[in-house]
Amino acid sequence: MKMYYEKDVDLNILKNKTVAVIGYGSQGMAQSRNMHESGLNVVVGLRKDGASWKKAESDGLKVMTVEEASEIADVIHILIPDEIQGQVYNESIKDHLKEGNTLSFSHGYNIHFGYINPPENVNITMIAPKGPGAMVRKTYEEGFGVPGLVAVERDYTGDATQIALAMGQGSGLTRAGVLKTTFKEETETDLFGEQVVLCGGATELISAGFQTLVEAGYQPEIAYFETCHELKLIVDLIYAKGFAGMWNDVSNTAEYGGLARRKRIVTSETRLEMKKILEEIQTGEFAKEWATENNAGRPMLNRLRAIEADLQIEKVGAKLRKLCGLQK
């Protein structure tokens, strides 16, 4: 394991370079503002007169089209959604790349699965915050940062790692620490975590627990508090103290019940399914499925979104969050 911190980075490597951040969503906004306020020469590349154009300008950033930003940039940092990166790269970035440029990402998806194929005479790097854009910005403003990952797929100029790390320092990541990885490892583990634990697994577990209690006759509001609301409290404990620290802070009853019964929930069959999902990611099967879904106009995703929005737990949760002042 290799970790990089502030002392390992020289921000001056970007002193006379222009960093073009393509996109101004959650990550684009956070990273571009942080790097700009760290003294880097940052421009933002957006669709002409798009929704984010005025927002980026009002945040004090220089804004231009993706083509214009790519033409003047030494580093092109692509922070638009995975599913449109290939098209935007081919239409608006590729022809503006020059020898020695750095093509940078915060997720290895399009490079690893071959949807973007840069020329041989440019660097390909990744600097990836391990946290949402809002947290990247918030912790930076507080004088700290979120941890990050750094990877180099191609080091044409010989200093690609230092360029990526300098961007990480500009975003505040080296304050917390940046872990060295590869495009393959970051992409495959990120997709697995999203699908099996963080997004897919967690929401299905919450929903199943909620429905079990409701079907047994308990109040939906009580079921929501017990299966969803309190989850954040437990996750915060694990985040700060690890499993052992969490167990220490809950009751002995909770600790015994959780430890004694958790394998009845995540069974050997569940673990086999996790391995199947990982294999689908590793072989590129999921990436092909997602590309097909996007090309068809996302019919399945739209259906799944509609189903999710209609869940009882969503309606109960919205009501309770409003009543408790957690959501306006």
Side-chain angles (χ1 to χ4, degrees), residues 211-241:
Q211 205 59 46
T212 299
L213 289 176
V214 171
E215 288 173 359
Y218 299 102
Q219 294 181 69
E221 293 78 11
I222 296 295
Y224 180 84
F225 277 131
E226 294 300 334
T227 61
C228 186
H229 175 80
E230 291 192 38
L231 181 64
K232 181 183 184 305
L233 309 179
I234 299 301
V235 170
D236 284 348
L237 287 173
I238 295 172
Y239 181 88
K241 302 180 179 182

Side-chain angles (χ1 to χ4, degrees), residues 7-273:
K7 63 180 176 60
D8 302 310
V9 186
D10 182 7
L11 201 62
N12 286 323
I13 198 168
L14 292 176
K15 184 176 181 180
N16 297 314
K17 296 183 186 295
T18 297
V19 178
V21 175
I22 309 302
Y24 205 66
S26 175
Q27 285 293 343
M29 184 187 301
Q31 292 188 44
S32 58
R33 292 184 72 182
N34 290 4
M35 287 191 286
H36 171 70
E37 292 173 20
S38 293
L40 299 183
N41 181 26
V42 176
V43 300
V44 177
L46 298 173
R47 186 176 69 253
K48 184 66 175 175
D49 297 324
S52 300
W53 191 287
K54 288 184 178 179
K55 172 60 179 169
E57 285 186 329
S58 70
D59 288 336
L61 293 159
K62 185 175 182 179
V63 187
M64 51 187 67
T65 66
V66 175
E67 293 83 356
E68 291 167 340
S70 300
E71 180 63 33
I72 69 167
D74 300 286
V75 180
I76 302 170
H77 191 37
I78 302 179
L79 295 180
I80 52 180
D82 293 331
E83 62 269 21
I84 63 171
Q85 283 188 15
Q87 179 182 351
V88 172
Y89 170 80
N90 287 323
E91 293 178 355
S92 304
I93 296 173
K94 180 174 66 175
D95 292 342
H96 301 281
L97 282 172
K98 295 170 282 296
E99 182 177 2
N101 279 176
T102 296
L103 197 62
S104 174
F105 302 83
S106 281
H107 183 32
Y109 189 96
N110 278 274
I111 292 295
H112 179 57
F113 291 119
Y115 294 109
I116 291 178
N117 293 289
E120 295 292 328
N121 61 356
V122 301
N123 297 327
I124 305 173
T125 65
M126 173 170 41
I127 186 71
K130 295 312 294 176
M135 190 59 65
V136 174
R137 180 63 182 162
K138 180 176 182 289
T139 54
Y140 177 88
E141 291 180 305
E142 293 171 345
F144 195 53
V146 302
L149 302 176
V150 65
V152 174
E153 184 78 0
R154 183 186 301 140
D155 186 1
Y156 178 77
T157 61
D159 57 1
T161 298
Q162 284 301 313
I163 289 171
L165 287 172
M167 294 171 65
Q169 186 180 83
S171 287
L173 309 187
T174 51
R175 298 171 182 175
V178 174
L179 175 65
K180 183 179 180 181
T181 184
T182 64
F183 272 65
K184 179 181 188 297
E185 182 176 60
E186 184 277 336
T187 301
E188 294 177 358
T189 57
D190 187 76
L191 292 174
F192 179 83
E194 291 168 350
Q195 294 174 23
V196 171
V197 181
L198 306 176
C199 302
T203 53
E204 186 63 19
L205 181 63
I206 293 166
S207 183
F210 171 86
Q211 205 59 46
T212 299
L213 289 176
V214 171
E215 288 173 359
Y218 299 102
Q219 294 181 69
E221 293 78 11
I222 296 295
Y224 180 84
F225 277 131
E226 294 300 334
T227 61
C228 186
H229 175 80
E230 291 192 38
L231 181 64
K232 181 183 184 305
L233 309 179
I234 299 301
V235 170
D236 284 348
L237 287 173
I238 295 172
Y239 181 88
K241 302 180 179 182
F243 287 174
M246 180 273 291
W247 291 127
N248 185 65
D249 279 10
V250 301
S251 69
N252 292 334
T253 307
E255 181 182 13
Y256 175 76
L259 288 171
R261 283 160 172 74
R262 61 185 181 180
K263 289 188 184 299
R264 290 167 60 182
I265 304 303
V266 180
T267 64
S268 56
E269 184 179 348
T270 309
R271 292 170 186 269
L272 283 174
E273 202 61 39

